Amino acid sequence: MKRHVFTVAALVGAVAGFSLTASPALAQKEQFITIGTGGQTGVYYVVGQSVCRLVNRGSSEHGIRCNAPSTGGSVANVNGIRAGELDLGVVQSDVQYQAYEGTGGFEGNQFEDLRAVFALHGEPLTLVARADSGIKSLSDLPGKRVNIGNPGSGQRNTMQVLMDALGWDTNTFSLASELEAAEQASALANNQIDAMVYVVGHPNGSIEEATATTDARLVEVSGDVVDELVEKYPYYAKATIPGGTYRGNEEDVETYGVAATFVTSANTDDELVYQTVKAVFDNFDRFKRLHPAFAVLEPEDMISGGLTAPLHEGAKRYYREQGWID
Ligand code: GLU
């Protein structure tokens, strides 16, 4: 009878993805890591869920449990890591640069303990306008109702730099709303705003929602001011959103953008960062299949481009083991 119970329990364990046999994990103390992401219809949320899924597959060996809640985005993630509320987070490369160097939105608020882990997908500054708004270029935005992003988001930070360069402020628009990323698409569809701005990988749920529920167009973000910004700042590059990615948008759209990066603090335990990085790169083919924006990622690029802050010691340990760095 006893044996029968054990067998059923073992079967339940196997189905639920855990093992009831004695393992080193039982002797280990459980540790928890929290990864800061973004809105639920963006790509950061998928990054966090994907990394956690791979980390949690190995929980019985390393004792680490990972979770990745939705957050306000890049700036909220940097602040959450600094405050010790988040262990790791996804952050735009321009935000990483500004936070580590104490420039831009982080002037007088430098975060020297910020550490890079790896870079991810590209994030074009994506301007989406209602087809009936008459917005066909950046210069059509003044006087319109524009969602410039919630204050914790990366797009708000990037948009601020662009607005400053253009000599614009919130009064330039008839409405400068601060809706969260996940609220933008329905606001556009409900005609509460004329345009939304999202610095984000493609394809993503937010812009799929916007273009599926209303006639919306991706708008080119270009001109002399954009050229000057790309020239001046190392973290900006020209970018193209391929035609056919979204309903009603068959043409390529030119813009500029940044990269998504994965960061932490120097104060985060080396072993936690090591195990997180190991979970991703030991299962890299699986990771790349979890979102189309990850499909083109290559480890060599991920540990070189887009990073300003020094690599975290725990990440370095894994990259050294792989022979990727000295
Ligand atoms: N780049 C956006 C931000 O920093 C988030 C994009 C996403 O969630 O994929 O807030």
Side-chain angles (χ1 to χ4, degrees):
M1 185 62 196
K2 232 179 167 179
R3 201 168 137 197
H4 180 68
V5 171
F6 177 76
T7 308
V8 170
L11 192 67
V12 170
V15 170
F18 60 87
S19 161
L20 289 178
T21 52
S23 77
L26 295 177
Q28 259 175 32
K29 124 167 144 15
E30 266 210 325
Q31 285 183 289
F32 295 88
I33 55 171
T34 303
I35 299 175
T37 63
Q40 286 193 9
T41 49
V43 182
Y44 287 10
Y45 191 71
V46 184
V47 171
Q49 298 306 313
S50 303
V51 171
C52 281
R53 188 194 290 195
L54 298 177
V55 169
N56 290 338
R57 278 163 52 96
S59 295
S60 61
E61 279 114 60
H62 51 53
I64 302 166
R65 298 287 310 171
C66 179
N67 74 98
S70 167
T71 71
S74 285
V75 174
N77 293 343
V78 168
N79 292 335
I81 291 169
R82 187 183 345 219
E85 289 154 8
L86 300 170
D87 301 292
L88 297 130
V90 196
V91 166
Q92 288 177 202
S93 50
D94 53 345
V95 173
Q96 181 188 147
Y97 182 103
Q98 292 173 5
Y100 185 70
E101 300 286 347
T103 62
F106 288 83
E107 182 98 52
N109 196 18
Q110 188 176 11
F111 182 19
E112 282 173 73
D113 279 341
L114 186 63
R115 291 292 176 271
V117 180
F118 49 71
L120 287 150
H121 55 281
E123 298 192 274
L125 193 162
T126 308
L127 174 61
V128 187
R130 290 178 60 86
D132 62 11
S133 69
I135 299 170
K136 294 207 162 58
S137 72
L138 194 57
S139 56
D140 294 325
L141 286 183
K144 301 290 198 228
R145 301 165 302 165
V146 181
N147 193 60
I148 60 170
N150 60 292
S153 69
Q155 48 275 3
R156 176 59 177 277
N157 190 75
T158 307
M159 189 61 182
Q160 193 63 50
V161 173
L162 180 60
M163 285 164 58
D164 289 347
L166 288 160
W168 294 357
D169 59 26
T170 51
N171 295 319
T172 301
F173 312 109
S174 63
L175 171 73
S177 58
E178 299 186 322
L179 298 172
E180 297 269 344
E183 299 168 335
Q184 303 196 83
S186 60
L188 196 78
N190 295 336
N191 203 8
Q192 290 157 337
I193 54 173
D194 297 305
M196 57 180 261
V197 174
Y198 203 2
V199 176
V200 66
H202 296 281
N204 62 76
S206 169
I207 296 174
E208 274 163 5
E209 182 188 342
T211 50
T213 51
T214 191
D215 263 341
R217 302 279 177 268
L218 273 64
V219 176
E220 186 168 305
V221 182
S222 60
D224 292 347
V225 167
V226 168
D227 291 347
E228 282 160 26
L229 288 175
V230 171
E231 180 82 12
K232 182 170 172 194
Y233 294 112
Y235 39 76
Y236 290 145
K238 289 289 178 74
T240 304
I241 303 164
T245 308
Y246 300 102
R247 188 187 77 97
N249 288 271
E250 295 310 317
E251 303 293 324
D252 286 2
V253 174
E254 302 302 324
T255 180
Y256 72 106
V258 295
T261 70
F262 199 47
V263 301
T264 185
S265 159
N267 299 322
T268 306
D269 184 66
D270 288 1
E271 182 67 14
L272 291 180
V273 177
Y274 172 81
Q275 291 294 349
T276 304
V277 168
K278 184 172 162 56
V280 171
F281 288 107
D282 280 1
N283 300 289
F284 198 54
D285 287 335
R286 186 184 291 263
F287 179 76
K288 292 211 299 190
R289 284 197 297 271
L290 293 172
H291 193 282
F294 308 158
V296 295
L297 296 177
E298 294 295 342
E300 302 80 66
D301 307 331
M302 292 171 72
I303 63 172
S304 53
L307 307 178
T308 312
L311 286 171
H312 187 277
E313 286 303 322
K316 276 195 195 160
R317 186 176 133 207
Y318 183 83
Y319 302 152
R320 273 199 204 104
E321 281 175 8
Q322 299 301 308
W324 295 344
I325 59 168
D326 293 331

